Amino acid sequence: MRACGRLCLQERRRFGAAGSGAALGMGASDLAACIGTVQRQLIDAESKRQPVDWEGMHFMVCDVLLAGCMPDEADKQVVRAYGEAWLSAAILEQSFHFYEGYRIPQALELEQHRQEIETLPLDDSPVVFGLPPRADAAFRTNRTQSVLSAMLKMQPNQSIVNGWQSRAEVVLAIAAQLLHALPSRFKQDHVQDSLHRLGPTKPLSVSLLHEVSKLNTAIYFIDAAIEQVRAALNGEIPMSPVLMELAEDLYHARVPATWIELSGLELTRIGIWSETLQRCWKQLDAWLEYGRPTTFWLGGFSNPRGFLAANAQEVCRLHARDKWALDDLVTKTEVLKVEESEVFNPPDTGVYIRGLSIEGAGWDKERCHLIDCEHASSASLLPIVWVAASHREGQTAEASMKYLAPCYKSSSGLRLNNILSIDLSTEEQPSKWILRGVAVLTLCEA
């Protein structure tokens, strides 16, 4: 089971972020430890003539030996889901199979084992590993884009493009468009006046000041970089390797890595990135001009976890008489049935979040639960999500099944950058959505 589980995780990695997160730090010693644990459990049960302690074996193999090698919580949940399905009495039955057509060979000879293995398909479908069918199309699209990107890098820097426009003219045209679309920086006096009106010591106001400062810094450096590229292409200053790389990114409509780091927007297409940067500026400008918004767009913040921490601090201050501490709070989420146009007032506690999308599954807005997504569907928009905080001692068990979906900034970013977890109702076992890699995104390029 351990070897099969590791192979499944390795195979899931080729399907991108939906399949697996960080590299797996498992070796031969981990395999030997898992085999030894399983052998001891089985021998101990047989010697004492007692039933096998599958629950204890599941904990030792999945939670201790396997999950301990994984930095990503989503990968740990995948391992536990595989363990629930495989580490049970059913695996000892002859009719057991990992997936339809994938069963444990019953032969005793090595050659017979090889013959059974050769009957398996060379290219496994993502459905075998619990992923949705469209994961294969996403994998092949990403691989094609990687090949095309490598071919473009090998393309000679020819002076004429399309028979009439030079390479430098293309870059200058893109740079002019970006400069025209680049928002202006916020004026310090206007920011201070607005914060004084909103309450400068309120946690959300502090978060707003941080976001404004970060965006101002990003706009300043991006504007300066574009101007330097224009000056270098016009022969006014020398063309350095850094400016050459920047011009190459602009020519291929890619977002430079430094711009992604400055803006906090994990997007790859320059057009979508530019539009998203404008939306970020508009959200902060409306907040400064008209006060606290009714709903917030989480993808518009460079530090969304800082914003959610400020939200939790506000809840703490509301319960100051109860002596609530920040460490005693847990995040509480709920997907509502209303859209942004139907929300007119902010909640009494917490915040309303808009613009979230769910990847790997669909959402039934009428019945408020997860459903299978269509084959060609990429991401489904969620209605308004209420995010608040409550005391740990006041938590009660939910009657309905919930899938705790991780929320990331975008599908192109690392799965290790988890912002929060959102409770999604489901009529099926949560393990189905865990294996499918269902996640919530704040930014979507599709």
Side-chain angles (χ1 to χ4, degrees):
M1 179 270 168
R2 193 273 178 195
C4 187
R6 183 188 178 188
L7 289 174
C8 285
L9 290 173
Q10 293 285 9
E11 283 294 307
R12 287 173 65 96
R13 289 190 65 197
R14 70 188 179 98
F15 296 106
S20 179
L24 306 177
M26 297 184 288
S29 60
D30 301 301
L31 175 60
C34 288
I35 293 176
T37 299
V38 174
Q39 285 179 337
R40 284 192 297 271
Q41 291 276 1
L42 294 176
I43 293 173
D44 185 62
E46 185 179 6
S47 62
K48 296 180 180 180
R49 298 188 180 278
Q50 295 178 349
V52 178
D53 184 10
W54 294 106
E55 185 177 350
M57 189 186 300
H58 177 274
F59 175 77
M60 285 298 300
V61 173
C62 298
D63 291 82
V64 178
L65 297 174
L66 291 182
C69 305
M70 302 174 183
D72 187 13
E73 183 61 32
D75 286 340
K76 296 179 182 179
Q77 292 184 2
V78 169
V79 167
R80 296 185 186 111
Y82 282 138
E84 290 176 3
W86 297 343
L87 280 179
S88 63
I91 199 172
L92 301 179
E93 300 176 2
Q94 291 188 355
S95 60
F96 175 83
H97 57 271
F98 295 100
Y99 184 75
E100 186 177 352
Y102 292 77
R103 64 185 186 89
I104 300 176
Q106 302 297 322
L108 300 178
E109 300 293 333
L110 178 60
E111 187 61 32
Q112 293 175 333
H113 273 272
R114 289 174 175 170
Q115 291 176 0
E116 287 203 37
I117 291 173
E118 294 200 359
T119 61
L120 299 176
L122 294 177
D123 195 5
D124 297 314
S125 168
V127 182
V128 174
F129 311 105
L131 294 166
R134 68 170 189 83
D136 188 57
F139 158 69
R140 296 183 186 279
T141 300
N142 292 335
R143 187 164 63 176
T144 302
Q145 290 177 347
S146 299
V147 173
L148 292 176
S149 178
M151 292 174 64
L152 288 174
K153 288 181 179 179
M154 293 187 295
Q155 185 181 13
N157 296 332
Q158 53 190 5
S159 58
I160 303 298
V161 179
N162 296 331
W164 64 275
Q165 196 174 29
S166 69
R167 192 183 188 93
E169 289 174 340
V170 173
V171 176
L172 286 173
I174 295 175
Q177 294 175 2
L178 289 175
L179 278 178
H180 179 73
L182 192 67
S184 59
R185 284 186 291 165
F186 293 100
K187 296 182 179 180
Q188 193 66 24
D189 294 341
H190 174 61
V191 173
Q192 293 298 332
D193 293 341
S194 299
L195 289 176
H196 181 75
R197 186 178 69 254
L198 294 170
T201 59
K202 291 182 178 180
L204 285 183
S205 297
V206 176
S207 176
L208 172 61
L209 177 60
H210 169 80
E211 292 294 334
V212 169
S213 301
K214 182 72 181 290
L215 187 57
N216 268 354
T217 302
I219 292 174
Y220 173 80
F221 281 103
I222 292 169
D223 179 83
I226 296 176
E227 290 291 356
Q228 288 179 354
V229 168
R230 295 179 68 181
L233 291 175
N234 290 326
E236 299 173 5
I237 61 173
M239 177 67 78
S240 65
V242 175
L243 294 179
M244 180 69 75
E245 183 179 357
L246 180 58
E248 187 73 12
D249 287 333
L250 295 181
Y251 177 74
H252 294 296
R254 296 191 299 256
V255 184
T258 54
W259 294 10
I260 294 177
E261 183 179 356
L262 284 169
S263 62
L265 301 177
E266 298 171 355
L267 300 170
T268 57
R269 304 175 192 172
I270 193 69
I272 297 177
W273 176 88
S274 178
E275 293 176 0
T276 306
L277 187 67
Q278 294 179 53
R279 289 179 59 194
C280 296
W281 184 90
K282 289 178 181 178
Q283 174 172 246
L284 298 180
D285 182 62
W287 193 350
L288 291 170
E289 190 70 26
Y290 306 109
R292 176 171 172 166
T294 305
T295 62
F296 292 90
W297 174 43
L298 204 58
F301 296 122
S302 62
N303 184 17
R305 276 188 280 191
F307 170 78
L308 294 175
N311 175 48
Q313 288 177 344
E314 282 203 342
V315 175
C316 267
R317 293 188 181 186
L318 289 175
H319 295 82
R321 293 184 178 180
D322 301 326
K323 297 182 179 180
W324 282 16
L326 194 60
D327 294 339
D328 297 329
L329 298 184
V330 292
T331 303
K332 184 177 181 180
T333 62
E334 181 183 355
V335 181
L336 307 180
K337 292 186 177 182
V338 296
E339 301 291 344
E340 181 186 357
S341 59
E342 303 174 81
V343 178
F344 304 102
N345 297 304
D348 295 332
T349 59
V351 292
Y352 287 145
I353 303 298
R354 70 178 188 273
L356 297 178
S357 59
I358 182 170
E359 188 177 53
W363 184 257
D364 189 334
K365 295 182 181 179
E366 295 296 329
R367 303 176 64 183
C368 271
H369 67 81
L370 288 167
I371 57 175
D372 288 322
C373 62
E374 297 179 2
H375 181 79
S377 176
S378 176
S380 303
L381 286 177
L382 282 175
I384 294 297
V385 178
W386 174 59
V387 180
S390 59
H391 201 277
R392 195 182 306 274
E393 295 180 355
Q395 293 294 300
T396 57
E398 294 284 349
S400 60
M401 286 191 294
K402 297 281 187 179
Y403 166 58
L404 203 59
C407 179
Y408 308 107
K409 291 210 70 172
S410 70
S411 57
S412 61
L414 292 176
R415 280 176 57 178
L416 298 177
N417 299 328
N418 187 6
I419 300 173
L420 80 158
S421 297
I422 299 178
D423 287 321
L424 301 178
S425 299
T426 173
E427 293 185 346
E428 303 180 70
Q429 290 297 326
S431 58
K432 172 183 177 178
W433 311 113
I434 292 174
L435 294 178
R436 284 201 168 199
V438 173
V440 176
L441 307 177
T442 63
L443 295 172
C444 185
E445 289 192 81

